[in-house]
């Protein structure tokens, strides 16, 4: 597996803090030029994995390879990897220009070249002319861009991003998602992106590793992760998901295995809707209605026990606020092919 | 409680007064600020101005009485050679003490902030603070015993076979003397001991404000630890060093007890002020001498500012 197109490889890596296994026997590879997301709730070990790549932490067990070279004991300043920190970590006593030039200044490059390349980088992140300002004079989004320029100027093989958009407001976050993706494609650098936001992970990355309890629960393309969640945890963490226990599945005639189903795959109909081939149906009562503008989300209590979330698109031109209201009796219908069996015995 | 009662609130005089103030924020501010401003303006700055005024009076050499007329005669006396030598000696001592305090305090502060566990941190804070709670005079006199010819240091040097080193140190002209407790080295050591907590605490405060992520960022961007120290940690902690040096520098400039108890009989600004306002009864000259540290500190802070010591604030 030591082919030259593997940028980062984890080989049975564990990181213990005292008795706590923050990272637990993790193995995976990141391909050169890939946009790789590490997704998981806080405390799932994703940030520790990122810090292991950067070199701020060293593995307790296992080895880490960068471009095929074992770097498990190499300090951060000797790794060809740069980080965009969650709090940006801009040097407050330096101007934007000095911050961006910092890696080149450390490498003792001539001042003229430093200035030229820093100018190019500020251009890339769309902050030309901001060089003279101090970080304190910038907005959160602008600091984010400076941190990005500073991390990219040394032309790293891998760029690590630790929840880089976490502190930005929604609008700016969506803008930066598009921009980050464009910059990654333009430069062809491997991005490893840590986030707890499943939407971000799905929309930006080539592949996603879902972390839970220090382990990689599932690794795959966004479509694989969303459409074929292997465990109940992945199904629940990525998108909204309905989990039907085996007992309920049996009562509504949907086999004897527990399964998950996405809310947008469920059709909501009047209780008179006839059954059809290849479909499964279950009757229930609407418990609550949440209106989101483009969509409406219903919580339906099944007669057979358990609750299902159903999402309907409000694409009807009549513009009625919600077609159904709480307390109404409904029949839920879905294709058997939409059911995703869940591995048993996996704790959530 | 009915809605009407809720809106009316309490009706007692205190509540009425509070409501009155609440709607007049300026009046409240004035009431809060007047006592401390009076203290600062009248007692603190007032006495300082009185002192300054004294330095422009002069003493009648014949009668020994203070003549209350504005004159620069006292300053002319201050600028004579023996007095200038006192100033130079004091400033040199204060500079050396400050430098030594900074060199000792920085690693200690850095250890407290970056490496010490919570328990050890508390212990180290105690270690820095506890000496400040005990009597200054007692500590100075104990140092006299430690540094004396029959003291611990001589004994230790004897047993380590380093007596020749001690003798070599004491043989240095001007700075040396018959024993450490009767030498400028001794004065220096005790000054450093007494003032070093005032350097440690501000540096700790400054270092606490430097997030760990800045050090990680520097390493991440290719800087080895020494470069990170020089480019990131030191510039950001420097305001703390300057704050600490203001303490050590000005405290050394004004102190009169340590040079009296430990060291040679060479006078310092503090001992001269003490002698002039007491035995000699020349209050104007004493006042003029106390103006010197103020001017020195003003010059010092201006230079520090020019050098960019406060840029990271």
């Amino acid at each position: 597996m030591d082919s030259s197109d593997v940028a980062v490889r984890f080989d049975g890596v564990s990181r213990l803090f005292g008795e706590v296994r923050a990272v637990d026997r993790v193995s995976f590879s990141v391909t050169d030029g890939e946009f790789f997301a590490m997704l998981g709730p806080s405390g799932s070990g994703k940030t520790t994995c990122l810090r292991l790549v950067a070199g701020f932490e060293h593995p307790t067990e296992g080895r880490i390879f960068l471009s095929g070279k074992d770097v498990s004991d190499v300090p951060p300043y000797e790794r060809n990897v740069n980080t965009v920190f969650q709090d940006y970590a801009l040097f407050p006593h330096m101007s934007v220009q000095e911050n961006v030039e910092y890696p080149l200044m450390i490498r003792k490059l001539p001042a003229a070249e430093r200035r030229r390349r820093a100018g190019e980088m500020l251009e890339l992140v769309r902050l030309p002319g901001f060089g003279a300002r101090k970080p304190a004079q910038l907005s959160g989004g602008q600091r984010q861009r400076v941190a990005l320029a500073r991390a990219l100027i040394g032309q790293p093989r891998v760029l690590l991003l630790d929840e880089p958009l976490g502190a930005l407001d929604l609008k700016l976050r969506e803008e930066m998602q598009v921009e980050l993706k464009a910059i990654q494609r333009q430069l062809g650098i491997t991005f490893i992106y840590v986030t707890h936001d499943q939407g971000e992970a799905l929309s930006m990355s080539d592949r996603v590793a879902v972390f839970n309890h220090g382990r990689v629960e599932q690794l795959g393309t966004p479509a694989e992760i969303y459409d074929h969640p292997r465990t109940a945890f992945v199904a629940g963490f990525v998108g909204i998901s309905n989990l039907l226990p085996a007992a309920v599945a049996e009562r509504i005639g949907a086999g004897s295995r527990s399964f998950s189903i996405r809310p947008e795959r469920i059709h909501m109909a009047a209780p008179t809707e006839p059954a059809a081939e290849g479909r499964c149906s279950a009757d229930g009562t609407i418990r609550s209605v949440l209106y989101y503008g483009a969509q409406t989300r219903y919580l339906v209590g099944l007669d057979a026990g358990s609750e299902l979330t159903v999402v309907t698109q409000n694409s009807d031109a009549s513009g009625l606020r919600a077609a159904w209201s709480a307390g109404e009796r409904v029949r839920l219908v879905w294709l058997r092919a939409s059911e995703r069996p869940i591995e048993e015995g996996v704790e959530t | 409680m009915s809605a009407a009662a809720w809106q009316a609130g309490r009706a007692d005089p205190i509540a009425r007064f509070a409501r009155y103030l609440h709607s007049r924020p300026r009046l409240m501010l004035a009431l809060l600020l007047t006592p401390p401003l009076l203290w600062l303006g009248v007692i603190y700055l007032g006495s300082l101005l009185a002192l300054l005024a004294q330095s422009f009076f002069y003493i009648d050499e014949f009668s020994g009485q203070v003549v209350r007329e504005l004159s620069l005669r006292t300053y002319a006396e201050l600028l004579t050679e023996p007095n200038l030598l006192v100033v130079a000696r004091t400033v040199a001592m204060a500079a050396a003490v400050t430098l030594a305090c900074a060199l000792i305090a920085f690693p200690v502060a850095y250890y407290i902030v970056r490496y010490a566990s919570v328990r050890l941190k508390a212990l180290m804070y105690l270690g820095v603070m506890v000496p400040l709670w005990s009597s200054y005079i007692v500590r100075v006199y104990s140092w006299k015993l430690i540094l004396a010819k029959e003291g611990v240091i001589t004994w230790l040097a004897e047993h380590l076979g380093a007596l020749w080193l001690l003798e070599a140190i004491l043989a240095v002209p001007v700075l040396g003397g018959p024993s450490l407790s009767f030498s400028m080295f001794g004065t220096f050591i005790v000054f450093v001991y007494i003032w070093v907590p005032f350097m440690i605490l501000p540096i700790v405060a400054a270092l606490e404000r430097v997030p760990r992520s800045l050090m990680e960022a520097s390493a991440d961007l290719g800087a080895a630890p020494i470069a990170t120290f020089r480019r990131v940690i030191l510039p950001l902690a420097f305001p703390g060093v300057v704050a600490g040096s203001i303490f050590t520098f000005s405290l050394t400039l004004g102190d009169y007890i340590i040079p009296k108890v430990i060291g040679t009989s060479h006078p310092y600004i503090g001992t001269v002020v003490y002698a002039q306002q007491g035995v000699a009864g020349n209050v104007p000259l004493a006042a003029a001498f106390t103006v010197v540290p103020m001017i020195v500190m003003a010059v010092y802070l201006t230079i520090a500012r020019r050098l960019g010591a406060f840029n990271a604030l």
Side-chain angles (χ1 to χ4, degrees):
Chain A
M1 227 351 233
D2 262 353
S3 55
S4 61
D5 64 346
V6 173
V8 179
R9 184 156 72 87
F10 271 50
D11 189 1
V13 172
S14 295
R15 177 68 175 100
L16 280 74
F17 294 108
E19 293 290 294
V20 183
R21 276 184 176 266
V23 173
D24 191 7
R25 287 158 291 170
V26 163
S27 298
F28 63 84
S29 297
V30 181
T31 314
D32 224 355
E34 192 175 23
F35 199 119
F36 187 88
M38 301 205 282
L39 175 68
S42 54
S44 61
K46 58 190 194 305
T47 296
T48 309
C49 272
L50 194 84
R51 294 172 58 81
L52 282 162
V53 180
F56 307 137
E57 305 285 350
H58 295 281
T60 318
E61 297 159 8
R63 315 301 299 170
I64 295 170
F65 300 86
L66 288 178
S67 312
K69 196 178 129 238
D70 186 347
V71 294
S72 308
D73 303 311
V74 174
Y77 49 90
E78 285 169 10
R79 299 186 184 201
N80 192 10
V81 162
N82 287 143
T83 308
V84 176
F85 290 82
Q86 189 170 13
D87 64 351
Y88 317 136
L90 297 179
F91 304 124
H93 56 300
M94 299 182 194
S95 68
V96 166
Q97 181 83 17
E98 287 167 324
N99 264 284
V100 177
E101 282 185 17
Y102 189 80
L104 307 183
M105 194 253 319
I106 292 294
R107 284 184 221 166
K108 300 194 167 61
L109 261 63
E113 191 189 342
R114 282 181 352 213
R115 190 179 309 262
R116 182 181 57 77
R117 280 174 60 183
E120 284 171 14
M121 275 301 138
L122 287 174
E123 198 101 16
L124 179 78
V125 298
R126 299 202 289 123
L127 282 179
F130 278 71
R133 299 212 196 166
K134 284 284 181 78
Q137 296 167 299
L138 302 181
S139 71
Q142 291 169 333
R143 280 180 218 178
Q144 171 69 66
R145 288 156 194 269
V146 175
L148 187 64
R150 189 181 65 173
L152 285 171
I153 197 169
Q155 297 166 336
R157 181 103 190 258
V158 179
L159 186 75
L160 309 174
L161 301 107
D162 185 9
E163 310 237 1
L165 309 182
L168 305 181
D169 61 61
L170 186 66
K171 192 110 184 116
L172 206 52
R173 204 154 66 212
E174 285 167 353
E175 238 175 79
M176 280 302 288
Q177 283 180 21
V178 175
E179 219 166 304
L180 274 177
K181 187 75 196 160
I183 288 174
Q184 193 254 344
R185 214 169 290 138
Q186 188 182 339
L187 300 177
I189 295 176
T190 311
F191 275 35
I192 299 183
Y193 191 99
V194 161
T195 181
H196 63 261
D197 182 326
Q198 40 103 9
E200 236 169 67
L202 294 181
S203 63
M204 298 171 80
S205 20
D206 298 316
R207 283 194 305 154
V208 182
V210 184
F211 277 76
N212 189 29
H213 296 307
R215 276 174 305 203
V216 175
E217 194 112 0
Q218 189 171 355
L219 199 160
T221 64
E224 281 167 10
I225 298 279
Y226 185 78
D227 231 14
H228 295 279
R230 263 211 355 247
T231 66
F233 172 78
V234 176
F237 192 74
V238 181
I240 317 164
S241 177
N242 294 302
L243 197 65
L244 280 180
V248 178
E250 214 166 344
R251 250 172 268 152
I252 60 172
S256 56
R257 292 183 65 184
S258 70
F259 64 89
S260 78
I261 183 160
R262 294 293 178 189
E264 70 276 13
R265 304 279 160 86
I266 301 173
H267 174 66
M268 199 148 68
T272 50
E273 178 98 354
E277 187 64 24
R279 287 169 196 266
C280 186
S281 64
D283 288 351
T285 309
I286 296 179
R287 297 228 172 112
S288 68
V289 180
L290 293 170
Y291 178 70
Y292 284 95
Q295 303 167 335
T296 305
R297 191 183 294 182
Y298 301 92
L299 189 67
V300 179
L302 295 185
D303 300 342
S306 186
E307 285 179 333
L308 286 184
T309 303
V310 181
V311 172
T312 61
Q313 294 296 322
N314 296 333
S315 46
D316 188 354
S318 69
L320 284 174
R321 194 176 158 277
W324 309 84
S325 46
E328 263 186 277
R329 295 282 301 162
V330 287
R331 176 163 293 169
L332 303 182
V333 184
W334 62 84
L335 286 169
R336 296 298 308 269
S338 303
E339 296 169 7
R340 298 285 175 254
I342 289 298
E343 283 177 20
E344 298 288 344
V346 181
E347 45 175 319
T348 50
Chain B
M1 191 189 281
S2 72
W6 171 255
Q7 271 176 6
R10 282 163 57 194
D12 57 285
I14 293 174
R16 274 218 304 279
F17 184 60
R19 257 199 306 277
Y20 179 79
L21 283 183
H22 184 78
S23 56
R24 287 161 190 81
R26 273 163 198 278
L27 179 66
M28 186 151 85
L29 192 67
L31 283 178
L32 282 172
L33 273 183
T34 304
L37 280 182
L38 275 179
W39 173 271
L40 202 69
V42 176
I43 300 177
Y44 199 79
L45 288 178
S47 60
L48 205 64
L49 285 176
L51 181 81
L52 251 177
Q54 288 277 338
S55 68
F56 289 101
F57 299 154
Y58 62 95
I59 200 150
D60 189 291
E61 278 168 36
F62 183 69
S63 66
Q65 294 295 308
V66 174
V67 182
R68 294 177 178 272
E69 278 169 24
L70 289 186
S71 143
L72 288 174
R73 222 178 285 188
T74 309
Y75 280 98
E77 194 186 343
L78 178 70
L79 294 178
T80 54
E81 206 195 314
N83 288 340
L84 283 178
L85 197 62
V86 170
V87 172
R89 182 185 299 123
T90 312
V91 170
M93 177 60 84
V97 168
T98 298
L99 194 67
C101 281
L103 289 178
I104 294 169
F106 203 99
V108 175
Y110 196 79
Y111 186 84
I112 290 177
V113 173
R114 288 286 164 228
Y115 296 102
S117 63
V118 177
R119 242 182 100 83
L120 186 62
K121 211 178 218 177
L123 274 176
M124 290 186 76
Y125 271 126
L126 268 181
V128 173
M129 306 284 287
V130 164
L132 296 179
W133 303 343
S134 63
S135 161
Y136 164 88
I137 304 280
V138 169
R139 283 182 295 142
V140 172
Y141 272 102
S142 7
W143 269 99
K144 193 172 180 71
L145 297 180
I146 294 170
L147 297 174
K149 212 177 186 73
E150 309 79 22
V152 178
I153 293 201
T154 315
W155 177 85
L156 202 66
E158 243 168 40
H159 285 256
L160 292 174
L163 215 50
W164 58 272
L165 185 67
L166 187 61
E167 270 159 15
I169 289 171
L170 289 175
V172 177
V174 185
L175 305 179
S179 78
L180 275 177
S181 64
F182 286 99
S183 70
M184 261 199 209
F185 273 130
T187 321
F188 169 76
I189 290 170
V190 178
F191 265 134
V192 172
Y193 161 78
I194 295 279
W195 303 141
V196 83
F198 295 93
M199 184 66 97
I200 294 176
L201 296 176
I203 297 181
V204 165
L207 283 173
E208 292 272 18
R209 283 174 47 201
V210 180
R212 193 179 289 262
S213 68
L214 289 189
M215 271 158 253
E216 289 182 347
S218 176
D220 186 71
L221 297 165
I226 292 176
T228 297
F229 180 80
R230 206 161 73 85
R231 304 284 182 185
V232 178
I233 300 168
L234 197 58
L236 289 175
F238 211 68
V241 179
V242 173
S245 72
I246 291 170
F247 288 125
T248 58
F249 202 77
S250 62
L251 287 170
T252 311
L253 282 181
D255 193 82
Y256 70 98
I257 293 176
I258 292 170
K260 269 198 112 124
V261 176
I262 308 228
T264 53
S265 53
H266 292 305
Y268 289 80
I269 291 179
T271 53
V272 169
V273 170
Y274 183 73
Q276 289 298 341
Q277 62 84 36
V279 186
N282 192 344
V283 176
L285 185 61
F289 257 109
T290 49
V291 171
V292 173
M294 287 191 239
I295 294 169
V296 171
M297 284 313 292
V299 171
Y300 173 72
L301 287 178
T302 311
I303 294 172
R305 210 189 125 117
R306 284 273 164 79
L307 290 176
F310 305 114
N311 284 1
L313 277 183

